[in-house]
Each structure stands twice: as structure tokens, then as C-alpha cells.
Amino acid sequence: MAADAPVTITYVGAEGDGIGLQSDGSRLYVPLTVPGDSVRVRSLARRGDGWIGELESILQSGPGRRAPSCGHFGVCGGCTSQHWVEADYLEWNSGRLAAALRRAGFEAPAMAPIMHGSPGQRRRMDLAVRRGQGSLTLGLHRARGTEIVDLTECPVLHPALFALIAPLRVVLSSLAGVRREASVVVNLLDSGPDVLLRSDGELTTTDRTKLTNFADIHHLPRVSWAFGAGVPEAVCVLRPPITSLSGVTVTPPPGAFLQATREAEAAIVAAVLDGLPTKQTARSRVLELFAGCGTISFALARRIKVTAIEGDEALVTACHNGINQAGLMGRVAIRRRDLSRQPFLPNELAGFTTVVLDPPHAGAAAQMPYIAQAKVGTVIYVSCDPVSLGRDASVLRGAGYRLEKVTPIDQFLWSARLEAVAVFRLGK
């Protein structure tokens, strides 16, 4: 089906697509557009209550349109909003957060100014690899597709990571262990880029030698490998793969979750600390859920005693080692627990003055009812998705919590993802 007439985009939806009305009154979702654009589209397909179309031409540009920063924009699926002027993009991003909280029952959420990320600061890249006839493609998937866009530029990535893409493409193309498909995750640690390769074939002895030489030439502290979704093993460790989290040195496991940028990590930690109750005693304790490697745990431990919970064994080990090396025993304890299968129950939550949680994108649906039932005085929720935050916040609203403050943090630059730190207090 094709659009029967030009359509004017009136607003941008939650996924970053422009939305307008067709002549029959149905909604039309058009990626890569901004409010005020008059457009023609092609290849319409059903989407929920309307249609989604591919942009064919812009008949008239809206006032918020600008030239994108990257030549891959519009093809690569990494960014959705480079074509939008900064002020409008930031207003839309923080507006999605406010709308999600209003739907949760918080009529006038107190919003801090949005922290805007900077280009060239992202310290993690997660790339797809595909071997074709005579060539190897390394990059990100096409927007709404399975094709891999071979990256030749990226204004989002830290320059130290982007500089690895071309030589990675060369070395991966020479490996017998990369047959058809693979993936590469690189975290920029304080000691350098930490590489994890997952491939669809076993590495040969020659492959391992090539990767070790690659690490030496490009000053990588560690290269790890796993067959498919298996447990990673070290191919080589040329120096300790370490990074500092809130002043504590840790050795993250290969491919570990880290906040996308250093500046966002600092903003998250600051907002969490700012949300702690002002009155604390020697008996005050914080329960931190989904603690990861200890990014927030170590900062909290300098203010209050912390029990940190994490489901991934490798992350627990990294955090535990950091605690020991920093001499924080007695201030913070890390335990392993799968919170989706074994959430903390109300009786276990008794005695904690504050719960801090930083769940994955899907949120913490299994845990929230028990936090609400336990009537913990303060809940500080670190979210990377306004929708799941809104759903979980509605549980707190129903239990009598008020939203004291929410801080939006734009660490996923030019995307439809948004970090936020929301502080909830029980009672008036």
C-alpha cells in the first residue's frame, strides 16, 4: 500500500518516528522525520493502530530539521535523531519521561534539567560480524533489518574505540574461527580497550596467535573469546584489564555492562547520592539491587552501609574483589541472587531505610510489589527506559509514594533510549 497524499508530521513518537495523519484519519509513522515536515512515503505496512512507511521525499522541511552528523545516518540502526536540532531533541526526550510518569499517576513530576551527552564519549561498542564471499562486514545492523552496515565513521564512539574498527575488520577476516557470524564487544577501560569476540567456530592455535599479536600492536589489556553464547575465556592478558568505579579499581569480566559514558556514570552516581535521606544513623542501611560491578555501590559505601545484590556470578566476583582491595569490608557486602526468580520479600526488606535499584531495560516488575508492601522509606530507581520506569513507578504510587525528583540523563546520544534517576519517598 502507498500513501495517497503528502502527510505533515505533527509530533514524534516514543520510538523516534515522526507521526502524522493520513487522509482517512489513520496514523502514519515515518522514521527520520521531525514535526513540521511535509513528506511522501512508500512501502506502507500495518503497525498497531496505523501504518509505518519508508520516507520517499521531503516536500517541505520542518523548522527543527538539521543535517545529520554521520554519513551512515538513515541506514545504520544506531541513531534515530541526528536530523533533529538539539533543543527539540532534548525536549522530546525529557518529555517522554515526564509523560510516562504522569501515566503512572504523578501529575507534575519535578524534573531536573536534562544532562546532555557529548559526541565521541561512548566507551562501549557492540558490533556484528558477517563473512560474505571474499569480504567481512563489521558494524551495526540496519534500522529495522538484519543487514549489517559496515561502519566507516561514527560520531558517537570514543575515538580510541573507533580507531580499532578498521584493524579489527582485517584481523577478523583472517580467523578460521569466524565462519559466517560473530560479534565483538569492546569496553574502553582505564587500561585500554577490552575485547570480547564471540564466534561460530573454534579458534585455532594460529587464530589465538593472531589475536595476541593484535592486542600487542593496539595496546589492548585483554582479548577474550567464546564459542557462541558460551562462557568467555582469555586468549591473552597483556596487562591487568582494570577500570575505576567511584574511586575503586575493579577488573570487569569480558563484555561486562558499564554505563555508556563516564560523564553519564558520574551524573547517575551524583543523582543517587543526592536522593539519599538527609537524616541517617549508624543503623541506616541501603539495599542495592542489580548492582553490577559496583558502580553505585562503592559511592554509596562512603555514605552508608550497603548490601548489594547482583545475579551475574562474574560481576559479583569483580565487585567482591574491588571491595577487598579498597578496604570496604564492613561498609558494603555483595551477594549473588536472581531477582527475577527470587525477589526480596517484605520481611527481608525490613530494616533497610533505602532501596536503590538499577534494573535492565525491562525493569523490575517481579520486585516492585514487595518493595511497595514493605513500605521502605526511600526508593531510588535508576532506569534506562521511561516505559518500564513508568510501569514500576505506578506500583509505588499505589502504595502512597510521592515522586520527589527525577533526573533525565541523555547518555544514549541521538537515540530513543533515556537514562533517568527517580527518587521516591513514602508519605507526604
Side-chain angles (χ1 to χ4, degrees), residues 390-414:
R391 180 203 64 211
D392 291 348
S394 68
V395 178
L396 298 178
R397 181 70 179 86
Y401 283 82
R402 60 183 173 83
L403 176 60
E404 183 173 275
K405 184 179 181 181
V406 60
T407 303
I409 300 168
D410 177 39
Q411 69 166 325
F412 308 106
L413 194 60
W414 297 317

Side-chain angles (χ1 to χ4, degrees), residues 9-192:
I9 303 301
T10 56
Y11 65 102
V12 173
E15 296 182 15
D17 298 336
I19 300 174
L21 294 179
Q22 298 192 91
S23 57
D24 63 359
S26 62
R27 289 185 183 182
L28 178 63
Y29 299 84
V30 188
L32 311 179
T33 58
V34 303
D37 280 348
S38 176
V39 301
R40 286 191 182 276
V41 301
R42 58 175 176 265
S43 304
L44 293 188
R46 272 289 182 188
R47 175 175 170 180
D49 59 352
W51 302 84
I52 184 167
E54 181 181 354
L55 180 64
E56 182 177 88
S57 62
I58 299 173
L59 304 177
Q60 181 174 336
S61 296
R65 177 171 287 279
R66 70 167 187 177
S69 306
C70 178
H72 292 305
F73 182 70
V75 179
C76 170
C79 294
T80 60
S81 306
Q82 284 188 17
H83 61 305
W84 210 357
V85 297
E86 181 176 295
D88 291 354
Y89 158 71
L90 293 176
E91 183 180 1
W92 164 76
N93 228 348
S94 57
R96 292 189 303 124
L97 176 61
L101 291 168
R102 284 195 296 270
R103 287 193 296 270
F106 299 97
E107 291 301 327
M111 299 275 292
I114 187 169
M115 191 228 86
H116 181 35
S118 304
Q121 295 298 309
R122 188 173 176 88
R123 60 177 174 177
R124 176 186 174 92
M125 62 180 181
D126 194 339
L127 305 178
V129 181
R130 184 168 298 157
R131 190 186 293 280
Q133 297 214 346
S135 66
L136 182 137
T137 303
L138 175 66
L140 298 176
H141 285 101
R142 178 185 287 271
R144 296 177 174 84
T146 58
E147 180 186 346
I148 298 172
V149 177
D150 211 35
L151 283 187
T152 58
E153 60 178 306
C154 181
V156 174
L157 284 176
H158 191 287
L161 291 186
F162 180 75
L164 280 179
I165 292 179
L168 264 173
R169 191 179 287 114
V170 174
V171 72
L172 292 175
S173 67
S174 73
L175 300 183
V178 177
R179 296 176 179 173
R180 287 182 51 82
E181 306 278 346
S183 67
V184 180
V185 175
V186 188
N187 280 327
L188 183 58
L189 308 182
D190 292 349
S191 57

